[in-house]
Amino acid sequence: MNKNTPLNTGKNPDLKIEVAIIGAGTSGLYTAYRLVTEKKFKASDVQIFDMNNKLGGRLESVIMPGMNFWGELGGMRYLTSQQIVTTLIEGYVPKEDPNIRIPVLKDEMTPIPFPMGDPSKLLMYLRKDRCKQNAWDVAQKKGEKLATRYYLNNDDYGFSSDQLFNKIIYEVLMADTWVASTYGSKIIKGKDSEYDYSFELTSRDWDDIKPKLVYNFPNSPYDQRKVNDIGFWNLIKDQVSQEGYQFLANAGGYYSNTINWNSAEAFPYMVGDFSAGTIYKTIEEGYDSIAYAVANSYMEHEGACIWSENKLLTFTKDHHLADSYKYELIFLNLKTNTEWKVYANTIVLAMPRKSLELLDQNNFFFNTNKNSLLNENIRSVIMEPAFKILMGFEYPWWQNLGIDSGHSITDLPMRQCYYFGTDPQTDNSMLLGSYGDMETETFWKALTDDEVLFEVKPAKSASLRELHQLDKVQATKLMVNELMNQLRELHGDDVTIPDPYVTYFRDWTDEPFGAGYHAWKAGFSVENVMPYMRKPITDEQIHICGEAYSDQQGWVEGAFCEAEKMLNEYFGVDRPHWLSPDYYLGW
């Protein structure tokens, strides 16, 4: 797997091309790769520009000194049901010979399970009460209801957070008589247990349901409103009380799942990703390998170029080359701090919301007086902060608890920790020490602004010289001390937790990203906004694509699906032969 993709940090003033792709994240790289391999344009006519010095956008895999495996600071896994990302990584099986698997990209990637650990060992620490993650199942099998420190409604008492999310979604779906009569056979309340709910709805089914679903609870302030127009926090509180909401927000592990985002979009997201039977995988060579593999398949073609450390400032169509090239793009070359111009006939903004907002908002495209709908739709998604701290320890202290992988969950500001792995030669081990999101962000932000950084310490096969190369990415000393306090509280006094020898900190709220992932706001017609963003203004050849405006937000697959639909609709690119014709790409 080659991650030494050549990046051009220079400039080529007055470069003339057909398609300028802004953003070397997965949607931008995929767009370039597809346009060139489908021979829609020569590679010299499709160029990628990015202000960063690496590929992959919000994917970032790193190897810490003294370890022989990758840790993830950004996106870190995929679902086997996600067909584009799975096929690019694993290849496809041709109809004519089901015994072989043909790779799509030239770089080989090694798919491996993303272990979620043993819930009978992993911890849940809520309101200073510690239990194992399977404690609800254990109690239910005995015919008991697990007591927690949450005052839940009688009907909700004894449910785990996953089960309670499912119960809410079941109740709301089945209260709509149209949904119940049309899809009732696929919305199943468990025969064996009052806690079991299952949903056999396909993505197509959900897309039929989401715009029509009505909230049908006569005593509620939201009665007869479209579920699409109700915030998820509003709906959860209405169903299970504010105390029930607190339980779901805390025990679910992610505040971002329970913020006041679009309830209709939340439903399939919660039952698809956070339910039993979900199979996660990742890439042994680091999850950002998917970005480098796509980039390398584009770069194979003569004339291909990825311009890194080149920041788009603005674009205009009032220029002297108007007859032959539609747009003039002005870039700032960050190495030389000088501007240069590129001329193109099509622009693809493969960028999330914050990156779009950092562009010149007064140009003809973004100008709110001219294009108020575009302005409104750019803001149709909530920017969800996320930050991660990887920590290197000299031994896997969590194994004393019988834990080998997976994550523990708490309502402390650290929220979650993932036990990533151990180097068999050195015993050095990696922990994702905090997976902070939403309201915990301000807690950590105050500590990240401290000036004293964590001081690295030498460890087996990790010299001080190597470790000091990571000085710029160390968490602050104050942050690490606070996090160690929380790790010790989460795991209990009888577990000895040593100090780490190295850290690696990434805050995705930093510009130009602005967020780790995105969520649709309540009240927006997602079925209209998604296709709109792919070509916002009818007579302009300007497109927007990426995870932010997809129906799989937070996933690489969302970025790929939006790029694929854009290519099909506006570039005359057919669906690839390696992708099942039945695979549903969404609105």
Side-chain angles (χ1 to χ4, degrees):
M1 174 70 226
N2 170 28
K3 292 193 187 180
N4 296 316
T5 309
L7 304 178
N8 190 336
T9 60
K11 53 185 190 174
N12 182 357
D14 299 331
L15 173 68
K16 296 171 183 66
I17 55 177
E18 284 299 319
V19 184
I21 298 171
I22 317 302
T26 49
S27 63
L29 294 167
Y30 182 84
T31 299
Y33 152 71
R34 294 275 288 123
L35 285 174
V36 171
T37 51
E38 290 293 318
K39 299 187 170 54
K40 290 294 170 186
F41 298 99
K42 299 197 300 283
S44 54
D45 268 332
V46 178
Q47 308 269 289
I48 303 171
F49 303 84
D50 198 292
M51 66 178 282
N52 295 292
N53 61 1
K54 69 169 196 70
L55 299 180
R58 283 162 286 146
L59 301 183
E60 187 173 4
S61 310
V62 295
I63 290 182
M64 308 250 268
M67 301 185 206
N68 67 349
F69 58 93
W70 294 87
E72 304 295 353
L73 286 160
M76 56 188 183
R77 57 193 176 190
Y78 62 99
L79 295 162
T80 48
S81 57
Q82 295 172 334
Q83 213 179 97
I84 300 180
V85 72
T86 301
T87 309
L88 291 175
I89 294 166
E90 302 182 15
Y92 68 100
V93 177
K95 280 195 181 117
E96 51 277 14
D97 188 351
N99 299 313
I100 61 169
R101 188 170 280 278
I102 300 174
V104 173
L105 303 173
K106 68 162 192 168
D107 285 357
E108 264 191 46
M109 290 167 274
T110 314
I112 53 172
F114 185 92
M116 291 305 287
D118 179 352
S120 70
K121 300 284 194 287
L122 295 167
L123 299 173
M124 189 75 84
Y125 181 66
L126 306 172
R127 293 188 174 170
K128 300 189 87 170
D129 184 27
R130 190 178 295 104
C131 68
K132 297 294 180 5
Q133 284 180 20
N134 72 332
W136 285 267
D137 291 334
V138 170
Q140 288 164 14
K141 285 191 175 106
K142 293 182 191 164
E144 298 167 1
K145 293 179 185 285
L146 182 72
T148 65
R149 292 180 176 172
Y150 294 85
Y151 294 94
L152 300 180
N153 296 340
N154 288 339
D155 290 353
D156 308 325
Y157 182 52
F159 282 74
S160 72
S161 59
D162 287 354
Q163 291 167 340
L164 192 50
F165 274 125
N166 284 349
K167 177 178 185 249
I168 291 168
I169 293 165
Y170 174 88
E171 302 282 2
V172 175
L173 289 173
M174 295 305 277
D176 182 315
T177 50
W178 171 76
V179 173
S181 61
T182 312
Y183 292 106
S185 60
K186 295 182 171 187
I187 303 166
I188 302 150
K189 190 169 183 175
K191 298 179 183 70
D192 306 326
S193 160
E194 64 178 297
Y195 303 102
D196 291 339
Y197 298 85
S198 59
F199 303 88
E200 294 169 5
L201 297 160
T202 65
S203 299
R204 273 194 181 86
D205 296 338
W206 277 114
D207 275 3
D208 188 27
I209 291 168
K210 286 186 299 189
K212 300 173 188 167
L213 180 61
V214 172
Y215 194 72
N216 196 12
F217 293 87
N219 296 322
S220 163
Y222 312 109
D223 185 40
Q224 299 308 303
R225 286 189 75 115
K226 289 269 181 80
V227 170
N228 182 82
D229 299 339
I230 305 173
F232 200 33
W233 180 357
N234 302 138
L235 184 145
I236 293 171
K237 177 195 166 294
D238 198 56
Q239 286 287 311
V240 296
S241 79
Q242 177 60 16
E243 186 73 351
Y245 171 80
Q246 291 292 354
F247 170 65
L248 289 171
N250 293 341
Y254 300 89
Y255 288 135
S256 51
N257 288 346
T258 52
I259 60 163
N260 220 17
W261 66 302
N262 186 307
S263 289
E265 294 299 316
F267 280 14
Y269 185 83
M270 294 308 300
V271 301
D273 181 15
F274 294 94
S275 55
T278 304
I279 299 170
Y280 295 112
K281 283 188 177 178
T282 190
I283 305 171
E284 190 172 6
E285 296 82 6
Y287 192 48
D288 68 0
S289 298
I290 181 73
Y292 285 92
V294 173
N296 293 341
S297 289
Y298 156 72
M299 290 297 287
E300 273 186 306
H301 298 83
E302 190 183 345
C305 186
I306 301 172
W307 301 89
S308 65
E309 298 182 68
N310 277 288
K311 177 183 180 179
L312 178 65
L313 300 177
T314 191
F315 48 90
T316 171
K317 52 184 182 176
D318 305 319
H319 57 88
H320 64 283
L321 286 172
D323 297 343
S324 48
Y325 287 89
K326 195 163 183 182
Y327 305 111
E328 177 184 86
L329 298 91
I330 301 173
F331 288 93
L332 178 67
N333 179 270
L334 298 177
K335 285 246 159 129
T336 60
N337 200 33
T338 54
E339 293 182 9
W340 61 295
K341 291 175 180 175
V342 172
Y343 297 92
N345 283 323
T346 299
I347 299 173
V348 176
L349 301 171
M351 306 162 83
R353 175 181 155 178
K354 181 66 173 181
S355 300
L356 294 170
E357 291 175 342
L358 288 171
L359 294 173
D360 170 20
Q361 298 296 293
N362 295 316
N363 78 356
F364 71 93
F365 184 68
F366 292 109
N367 188 309
T368 188
N369 297 322
K370 291 181 182 170
N371 299 321
S372 58
L373 183 58
L374 170 59
N375 232 271
E376 191 179 321
N377 283 344
I378 283 174
R379 288 158 186 78
S380 64
V381 296
I382 299 161
M383 295 188 283
E384 304 201 291
F387 52 88
K388 292 185 172 182
I389 308 164
L390 293 177
M391 308 177 91
F393 292 93
E394 292 186 71
Y395 62 91
W397 50 265
W398 48 87
Q399 287 182 5
N400 294 334
L401 290 163
I403 296 171
D404 60 4
S405 59
H407 62 144
S408 288
I409 293 172
T410 175
D411 57 357
L412 295 171
M414 63 176 283
R415 295 297 280 133
Q416 298 184 46
C417 64
Y418 273 83
Y419 311 95
F420 262 150
T422 300
D423 183 315
Q425 263 70 52
T426 63
D427 219 23
N428 292 333
S429 300
M430 190 189 298
L431 177 93
L432 176 60
S434 174
Y435 192 151
D437 67 351
M438 301 315 294
E439 53 253 50
T440 61
E441 190 223 357
T442 53
F443 180 92
W444 295 108
K445 202 76 177 162
L447 306 179
T448 62
D449 295 340
D450 199 62
E451 287 178 13
V452 183
L453 291 180
F454 173 76
E455 203 168 312
V456 294
K457 305 172 186 74
K460 200 171 179 185
S461 298
S463 68
L464 265 181
R465 185 183 57 79
E466 271 183 293
L467 290 161
H468 278 309
Q469 288 172 353
L470 294 183
D471 279 351
K472 284 187 177 164
V473 296
Q474 292 307 306
T476 64
K477 187 177 179 184
L478 202 54
M479 191 175 199
V480 175
N481 290 347
E482 172 61 48
L483 185 50
M484 291 305 298
N485 261 356
Q486 294 185 28
L487 275 170
R488 289 174 177 132
E489 184 178 347
L490 163 61
H491 290 87
D493 294 337
D494 48 351
V495 182
T496 302
I497 304 183
D499 287 329
Y501 69 87
V502 65
T503 69
Y504 203 122
F505 175 63
R506 167 66 74 212
D507 182 351
W508 292 108
T509 62
D510 289 345
E511 293 182 354
F513 305 105
Y517 33 91
H518 300 81
W520 290 104
K521 289 180 181 172
F524 278 87
S525 169
V526 178
E527 90 180 295
N528 294 329
V529 179
M530 273 173 58
Y532 171 89
M533 293 304 276
R534 296 195 289 273
K535 192 173 190 285
I537 298 169
T538 313
D539 52 359
E540 299 294 350
Q541 302 306 313
I542 301 173
H543 309 275
I544 295 171
C545 68
E547 161 272 341
Y549 302 100
S550 77
D551 57 1
Q552 295 187 62
Q553 291 163 317
W555 292 102
V556 170
E557 187 76 359
F560 284 155
C561 286
E562 288 315 295
E564 184 61 40
K565 284 179 288 190
M566 176 192 72
L567 291 162
N568 301 163
E569 291 161 4
Y570 301 113
F571 290 86
V573 175
D574 293 331
R575 181 182 282 242
H577 67 277
W578 43 261
L579 186 63
S580 158
D582 305 327
Y583 182 59
Y584 182 59
L585 295 170
W587 284 320

